Amino acid sequence: MKRLVWMGIGVAIGVIAFRKVTEAQASMQSTLGPQGLNRAVGRLADGVYDFADAIRDGMRERETDLRAALGVESGELDRR
């Protein structure tokens, strides 16, 4: 009877391990295939765009601060 219990436990562990390995292989193929590469490049492009947008926002904010500190209105410079 003990052998039957241990055999059942072994089979259950084997089935669970097989499913996990199959899941890992499937997820690996989706990240390494053409679609996975396209997703990775898309994420990278989105990140670069977001970074550039944050830089532009910071530049605008800093320019506004500098103009206010110098007393210069936007677009109107004293020309002498």
Side-chain angles (χ1 to χ4, degrees):
M1 192 64 163
K2 277 186 170 182
R3 287 184 179 175
L4 190 59
V5 169
W6 285 111
M7 187 174 166
I9 291 173
V11 168
I13 290 173
V15 168
I16 291 170
F18 179 76
R19 285 185 179 175
K20 291 291 182 183
V21 167
T22 304
E23 262 181 43
Q25 284 178 340
S27 70
M28 210 177 230
Q29 284 178 344
S30 70
T31 59
L32 297 178
Q35 293 87 6
L37 181 61
N38 286 340
R39 277 193 301 272
V41 170
R43 286 185 197 133
L44 178 64
D46 289 344
V48 169
Y49 178 78
D50 291 342
F51 177 73
D53 201 28
I55 294 291
R56 281 189 222 104
D57 288 344
M59 287 172 41
R60 282 188 207 106
E61 183 179 327
R62 181 65 180 149
E63 184 178 357
T64 302
D65 292 345
L66 289 173
R67 287 184 181 278
L70 294 174
V72 178
E73 293 297 319
S74 178
E76 297 176 17
L77 295 176
D78 270 343
R79 296 188 187 221
R80 298 179 190 186

